[in-house]
Amino acid sequence: MSDETYLDRLIDEEQLRAYLADALGPTDRLEVERVDAGHSNETLFVTWGEQELVVRRPPPGKTADKAHDVLREHHVVDALQETAVPVPRTVLASDDHEVMGSDFYVMEKLEGDVIRTEEPAWLARPDARRQLSTELVDTLAAIHDVDYESVGLGEFGYPEGFTQRQVDRWHEQFKWARETTADHRDLPSLERITEWLQANVPEDHPETLVQGDYKLDNVMVAPAAEGTVASDDAAAGSEPEIIAVFDWEMATLGDPFTDLGWMLSFWHDADDPEPPIPDLYPTLTARDGYLSRQELIDRYETETGYTFDEPRFYIVLATYKMGALGEMFFRRYLEGNSDDPMYPTMEAGVPGLLEQATAVIDGEYGI
């Protein structure tokens, strides 16, 4: 039996040591920790001497085309360094697969809180929750306000026809995953949802930078003007500030409403039913102080000047996209290419997501 661990599959420490010594200068201290958070690209915390770094790389094994393009992610994060969009400082990027068997990039590590299924105690008050909600939607507006030509992203995508291509792309991702997963269970509502999306693609949309995975747990928050959270006691009473937006691997130029619909699809209002995948769809935003989905829309429209006319389409598209991602997770689990405990739950989770999408189509859920 092999003694190889999952971390061993992600990284050859001696190869990484040699690479970082050449790029950043030698040191005797190398520490590597896999971050057991997120469910797509892999994140590793790396201590190199006195530097605290983050490495991003794809998961091992076969992946769907363009689903884990970390060099694309690096390109957009690097371009946004001097904009109003908060992102970590980039350090380096490499397509040398001799180092860790894949493309990867390195950025500086930041200190703050990422809110997943629970909020830190220092944020557990109505005024802080309202401020965080406002910061979240204002930061999305800032992304959509970026002059992408001036920061070197003018060739980063093809905005015209973007929304139709999104429907087509995620259909193709479902098909890729179903090459393996179809033998394990049926998805009877998938065809109906696909046909509904194809029939309801909006004809026109604004053209902006699109983050592609914008939601509460893909930002880091810290007390305003401090940029760090030393302790809940020290931060008590502080105003929250978003200090970084993460996970840009699916960023492109396109329809900003796909970002808004994605964020809204993960937002839980007080009267919503229980989510199909509680670990991915937390209910904490139903607590006192958080803005409602409609309030988020109103704030977004005020900040951008856009009118969000088709919330039902964009929330269905977002749920369909998450379903496709979940099905790809399930395929990688079945093929033995991940030890993420979330992946096997997609056997039931994806049918639950498709049931929710059907409820939105039928006017039984959402806005």
Side-chain angles (χ1 to χ4, degrees), residues 101-218:
S102 69
D103 299 340
F104 68 96
Y105 79 95
V106 182
M107 58 186 169
E108 285 190 346
K109 184 182 177 184
L110 296 172
E111 295 296 330
D113 286 300
V114 176
I115 301 170
R116 301 190 190 281
T117 57
E118 264 306 330
E119 60 191 5
W122 73 275
L123 277 172
R125 60 185 204 276
D127 64 312
R129 291 166 179 161
R130 178 165 290 276
Q131 177 63 24
L132 176 57
S133 304
T134 303
E135 279 269 316
L136 187 68
V137 73
D138 287 0
T139 300
L140 182 60
I143 292 170
H144 296 162
D145 190 49
V146 167
D147 183 343
Y148 53 80
E149 294 280 359
S150 71
V151 299
L153 294 175
E155 304 300 320
F156 199 59
Y158 305 93
E160 186 175 353
F162 173 84
T163 317
Q164 178 64 62
R165 291 197 306 275
Q166 281 287 288
V167 175
D168 296 339
R169 174 187 178 182
W170 294 107
H171 182 216
E172 289 301 311
Q173 304 289 46
F174 257 121
K175 287 169 63 177
W176 177 85
R178 296 292 288 163
E179 291 172 4
T180 298
T181 64
D183 291 337
H184 293 266
R185 46 104 169 90
D186 293 329
L187 296 177
S189 60
L190 178 58
E191 183 175 357
R192 181 198 170 193
I193 297 166
T194 303
E195 291 176 352
W196 185 89
L197 286 167
Q198 291 285 3
N200 287 277
V201 177
E203 293 183 3
D204 298 303
H205 60 76
E207 297 179 357
T208 73
L209 177 66
V210 171
Q211 201 272 347
D213 194 13
Y214 192 80
K215 52 192 172 75
L216 183 59
D217 67 356
N218 274 340

Side-chain angles (χ1 to χ4, degrees), residues 43 55-56 60 73 82 109 130 152 181 188 207 210 220 239 250 253 280 286 296 313 332:
T43 300
V55 173
R56 291 274 286 171
E73 180 174 80
E82 304 302 323
K109 184 182 177 184
R130 178 165 290 276
T181 64
E207 297 179 357
V210 171
M220 178 172 279
E239 289 296 312
M250 291 188 285
L253 305 182
L280 288 180
L296 291 170
F313 170 84
R332 288 202 289 276

Side-chain angles (χ1 to χ4, degrees), residues 64-338:
D65 184 41
K66 297 183 180 180
H68 301 276
D69 192 342
V70 293
L71 294 186
R72 181 179 182 84
E73 180 174 80
H74 171 267
H75 179 51
V76 67
V77 174
D78 197 53
L80 294 174
Q81 294 291 296
E82 304 302 323
T83 70
V85 180
V87 290
R89 191 178 78 82
T90 51
V91 177
L92 54 86
S94 176
D95 61 0
D96 182 358
H97 288 202
E98 292 298 317
V99 181
M100 61 175 68
S102 69
D103 299 340
F104 68 96
Y105 79 95
V106 182
M107 58 186 169
E108 285 190 346
K109 184 182 177 184
L110 296 172
E111 295 296 330
D113 286 300
V114 176
I115 301 170
R116 301 190 190 281
T117 57
E118 264 306 330
E119 60 191 5
W122 73 275
L123 277 172
R125 60 185 204 276
D127 64 312
R129 291 166 179 161
R130 178 165 290 276
Q131 177 63 24
L132 176 57
S133 304
T134 303
E135 279 269 316
L136 187 68
V137 73
D138 287 0
T139 300
L140 182 60
I143 292 170
H144 296 162
D145 190 49
V146 167
D147 183 343
Y148 53 80
E149 294 280 359
S150 71
V151 299
L153 294 175
E155 304 300 320
F156 199 59
Y158 305 93
E160 186 175 353
F162 173 84
T163 317
Q164 178 64 62
R165 291 197 306 275
Q166 281 287 288
V167 175
D168 296 339
R169 174 187 178 182
W170 294 107
H171 182 216
E172 289 301 311
Q173 304 289 46
F174 257 121
K175 287 169 63 177
W176 177 85
R178 296 292 288 163
E179 291 172 4
T180 298
T181 64
D183 291 337
H184 293 266
R185 46 104 169 90
D186 293 329
L187 296 177
S189 60
L190 178 58
E191 183 175 357
R192 181 198 170 193
I193 297 166
T194 303
E195 291 176 352
W196 185 89
L197 286 167
Q198 291 285 3
N200 287 277
V201 177
E203 293 183 3
D204 298 303
H205 60 76
E207 297 179 357
T208 73
L209 177 66
V210 171
Q211 201 272 347
D213 194 13
Y214 192 80
K215 52 192 172 75
L216 183 59
D217 67 356
N218 274 340
V219 304
M220 178 172 279
V221 61
E226 294 180 29
T228 184
V229 180
S231 69
D232 283 333
D233 289 341
S238 298
E239 289 296 312
E241 177 183 21
I242 291 175
I243 61 170
V245 179
F246 300 125
D247 288 2
W248 292 84
E249 67 200 79
M250 291 188 285
T252 188
L253 305 182
D255 181 351
F257 297 151
T258 58
D259 271 348
L260 181 57
W262 182 252
M263 182 184 76
L264 294 172
S265 73
F266 286 91
W267 201 262
H268 195 83
D269 279 355
D271 57 352
D272 287 345
E274 286 299 305
I277 310 173
D279 286 346
L280 288 180
Y281 291 82
T283 60
L284 62 90
T285 55
R287 296 171 185 171
D288 184 28
Y290 285 105
L291 299 181
S292 67
R293 279 195 296 269
Q294 186 58 58
E295 288 174 321
L296 291 170
I297 292 171
D298 293 344
R299 177 80 182 189
Y300 178 84
E301 290 182 333
T302 297
E303 291 298 302
T304 63
Y306 299 141
T307 301
F308 188 51
D309 285 330
E310 303 286 346
R312 191 163 59 124
F313 170 84
Y314 287 101
I315 290 174
V316 172
L317 176 59
T319 309
Y320 183 81
K321 172 182 170 180
M322 188 64 244
L325 288 167
E327 200 69 358
M328 290 190 290
F329 296 163
F330 189 44
R331 171 173 174 162
R332 288 202 289 276
Y333 160 72
L334 292 172
E335 294 176 336
N337 287 324
S338 176

